[in-house]
Amino acid sequence: MGTSREKPFKKGGVVAENVNKPALIEQNIKEMGLDCVVCIGGNGTQKTAAKFAAMGLNIVSVPKTIDNDIWGTDISFGFDSAVSIATDAIDRLHSTASSHKRVMVIEVMGHKAGWIALYSGMAGGGDVILLPEIPYNIKNIGEVILNRLKKGKPYSIVVVAEGIQTDGRKRAAEYIAQEIEYETGIETRETVLGYIQRGGSPTPFDRNLSTRMGGHATELIANGQFGRMISLKGDEISSIPLEEVAGKLKLVTEDHDLVIQGRHMGICFG
């Protein structure tokens, strides 16, 4: 509908032209005779959807983001596809890292939430995985890499989320690569995966998840149940009130099972 990236409630919804965007959107919805608007997107979308629902508009939302950071759903579609692409990239870096005996740092998406880094790093055999949610010590990372070298493992794979703490001047991968080379003396190279993670053909899991979520959204509309977001809990599709979702983030915690099992396997999280 041409509304992507629009933030109608920013600055109170009134812009320089003195246009009240939320009121204009409400007017257009009524003039078009829409029974309901289905909002598909990430945290910003869910927050905006909740505000429209609070205005009394008929809204149903569906969680869609590769970051997987929407509160109230175990998984949002897009995440599995992004993890698949990132994992494939990490798999491919093993060859170069091994043959050149280097440290390879790969940066994946995730400003505040490190879900892609965690899942792709674990699946792709990362030796160090750095997430925005878990503080790291660069000297500790250097020691881990040098210890691997002493054990006859001349290369290491480091997976970093773009939102980890840096010096504020460099991208995450560049910063970490330079710091590792300084700490260890081992040649280190960085790769930034970027927007490749956001495109291409979705995985079968994401295709089926979006089908299930879309189907449930139509059921809510048919039953007149508005102001709700579709969610996946375990293997069950359900829905929760939008007001419970808005403004919240689902972040990785140190007691997440993948983090715990990764540490048991000797993977460094910083």
Side-chain angles (χ1 to χ4, degrees), residues 129-147:
I129 302 172
L130 303 182
L131 315 175
E133 299 93 327
I134 300 177
Y136 67 88
N137 184 315
I138 198 67
K139 293 189 180 298
N140 183 44
I141 294 168
E143 288 176 8
V144 167
I145 291 171
L146 289 174
N147 285 334

Side-chain angles (χ1 to χ4, degrees), residues 181-246:
E181 191 162 307
Y182 176 80
E183 291 290 333
T184 65
I186 302 173
E187 192 173 13
T188 306
R189 293 289 181 269
E190 76 270 9
T191 296
V192 179
L193 204 51
Y195 289 103
I196 290 173
Q197 296 159 90
R198 294 177 60 93
S201 298
T203 60
F205 177 87
D206 272 344
R207 298 181 196 199
N208 290 326
L209 178 59
S210 57
T211 298
R212 295 174 66 195
M213 285 185 163
H216 196 86
T218 62
E219 292 172 12
L220 288 184
I221 295 168
N223 295 326
Q225 295 177 276
F226 304 116
R228 302 185 70 82
M229 183 191 81
I230 310 301
S231 66
L232 176 71
K233 289 292 184 181
D235 194 45
E236 296 294 321
I237 300 289
S238 59
S239 66
I240 57 177
L242 265 169
E243 60 191 28
E244 293 182 10
V245 179

Side-chain angles (χ1 to χ4, degrees), residues 15-146:
V15 293
E17 297 83 1
N18 292 320
V19 176
N20 187 315
K21 288 189 177 182
L24 180 60
I25 290 171
E26 180 180 18
Q27 176 185 330
N28 289 338
I29 288 172
K30 291 178 178 177
E31 287 181 357
M32 294 170 71
L34 302 181
D35 298 310
C36 177
V37 175
V38 179
C39 300
I40 307 172
N43 284 294
T45 297
Q46 306 306 326
K47 189 174 182 179
T48 299
K51 289 184 177 181
F52 277 122
M55 288 171 57
L57 297 177
N58 293 343
I59 303 289
V60 168
S61 74
V62 183
K64 186 267 315 177
T65 173
I66 66 169
D67 291 330
N68 201 42
D69 58 354
I70 297 178
W71 190 91
T73 184
D74 290 350
I75 300 176
S76 54
F77 63 88
F79 174 63
D80 188 70
S81 298
V83 168
S84 178
I85 293 166
T87 301
D88 180 67
I90 295 168
D91 286 344
R92 293 171 187 270
L93 284 175
H94 277 272
S95 301
T96 297
S98 176
S99 63
H100 291 275
K101 296 180 174 55
R102 290 174 177 166
V103 176
M104 299 296 289
V105 180
I106 180 168
E107 178 185 316
V108 300
M109 284 185 164
H111 281 290
K112 295 181 180 178
W115 294 107
I116 296 176
L118 175 62
Y119 273 68
S120 65
M122 288 294 294
D127 305 299
V128 178
I129 302 172
L130 303 182
L131 315 175
E133 299 93 327
I134 300 177
Y136 67 88
N137 184 315
I138 198 67
K139 293 189 180 298
N140 183 44
I141 294 168
E143 288 176 8
V144 167
I145 291 171
L146 289 174

